[in-house]
Amino acid sequence: GAVVSQHPSWVICKSGTSVKIECRSLDFQATTMFWYRQFPKQSLMLMATSNEGSKATYEQGVEKDKFLINHASLTLSTLTVTSAHPEDSSFYICSARPGGDGPQHFGDGTRLSIL
Amino acid sequence: QQQVKQSPQSLIVQKGGISIINCAYENTAFDYFPWYQQFPGKGPALLIAIRPDVSEKKEGRFTISFNKSAKQFSLHIMDSQPGDSATYFCAASMRGATNKLIFGTGTLLAVQP
């Protein structure tokens, strides 16, 4: 149980394009979803927290107009990297948490490469 | 105060040995301490977690030891196997509306056959 699916797993695109990443909880309803960014050999850095039906809460230093988050349903959250540039290349990982005090369950990440 | 310090940065253990990874925190409001295992190119997977009302939790070969007064907790992997080679992250969070996880810096474990 508690499976989180992330799509796509890998994307390469040209500088200036926008990229959308989907995060789905397959077998539970996620009241809260989280988006992380991880650089090679580094830890996970929380970018934002989203609750279904409300605006995301961004961590300090994360540009909300650059990283658009939508949590339209209890099983789907999306992260759109707008006008992506090479410095946005990274491993993006989502997690989802059921209601109450349930643990976070992570997706398998999306490797984003901007040329 | 929000940091979780993790050591060592890397660890080499022989097959069958015990792997020990340590974490320390400052914020006494933290009340949930999970350990995650991450393989290259994959997301982290929850291994085991503990709350501060117990000093130890064991699940199979994995044990968390928790010292509330010292604000430290550790992961012990007994009978380490080559398949345990991965990066391990400790984390901490506090009860609340979002339960944000604060991650340690990670430990790269290599178990030699």
Side-chain angles (χ1 to χ4, degrees):
Chain A
V3 177
V4 175
S5 174
Q6 200 170 330
H7 179 80
S9 57
W10 189 28
V11 59
I12 303 174
C13 60
K14 293 181 179 179
S15 182
T17 58
S18 293
V19 179
K20 181 185 282 188
I21 303 169
E22 290 187 350
C23 178
R24 294 181 185 272
S25 55
L26 297 186
D27 52 2
F28 66 97
Q29 292 188 326
T31 55
T32 308
M33 287 185 167
F34 303 84
W35 287 95
Y36 295 83
R37 185 171 180 175
Q38 186 178 33
F39 290 106
K41 300 188 188 301
Q42 293 190 21
S43 189
L44 286 80
M45 297 302 296
L46 180 65
M47 298 174 66
T49 303
S50 72
N51 291 293
E52 185 263 338
S54 61
K55 287 185 179 180
T57 302
Y58 291 82
E59 295 299 300
Q60 193 172 10
V62 177
E63 299 175 58
K64 60 181 181 182
D65 295 330
K66 174 77 169 176
F67 300 99
L68 301 179
I69 292 171
N70 183 282
H71 191 164
S73 78
L74 285 171
T75 60
L76 173 65
S77 177
T78 61
L79 168 69
T80 302
V81 183
T82 61
S83 185
H85 289 94
E87 59 267 27
D88 298 322
S89 298
S90 189
F91 193 49
Y92 292 87
I93 310 172
C94 73
S95 72
R97 189 172 66 87
D101 269 343
Q104 289 187 33
H105 301 282
F106 285 81
D108 269 345
T110 296
R111 184 156 305 282
L112 175 63
S113 296
I114 308 297
L115 303 177
Chain B
Q1 257 218 337
Q2 287 290 79
Q3 280 187 324
V4 177
K5 296 181 180 179
Q6 184 171 346
S7 63
Q9 189 174 8
S10 62
L11 181 61
I12 300 174
V13 173
Q14 295 298 314
K15 179 182 175 182
I18 302 174
S19 304
I20 302 174
I21 305 170
N22 302 298
C23 285
Y25 63 97
E26 288 294 325
N27 191 341
T28 54
F30 287 145
D31 68 348
Y32 175 69
F33 302 89
W35 283 90
Y36 285 87
Q37 179 190 57
Q38 186 180 31
F39 292 105
K42 297 291 185 181
L46 179 65
L47 263 182
I48 187 172
I50 198 168
R51 293 204 182 268
D53 51 346
V54 297
S55 60
E56 186 175 283
K57 183 174 181 180
K58 183 177 181 179
E59 290 184 1
R61 294 186 295 111
F62 301 95
T63 300
I64 299 179
S65 296
F66 187 82
N67 186 328
K68 189 174 181 178
S69 60
K71 292 184 282 187
Q72 296 175 348
F73 58 110
S74 60
L75 175 69
H76 291 62
I77 306 175
M78 311 300 286
D79 187 26
S80 299
Q81 299 297 313
D84 296 330
S85 299
T87 300
Y88 292 81
F89 293 96
C90 63
S93 71
M94 62 187 89
R95 281 183 208 274
T98 60
N99 283 31
K100 290 195 301 185
L101 283 172
I102 308 298
F103 280 89
T105 49
T107 296
L108 179 60
L109 171 65
V111 181
Q112 294 185 335

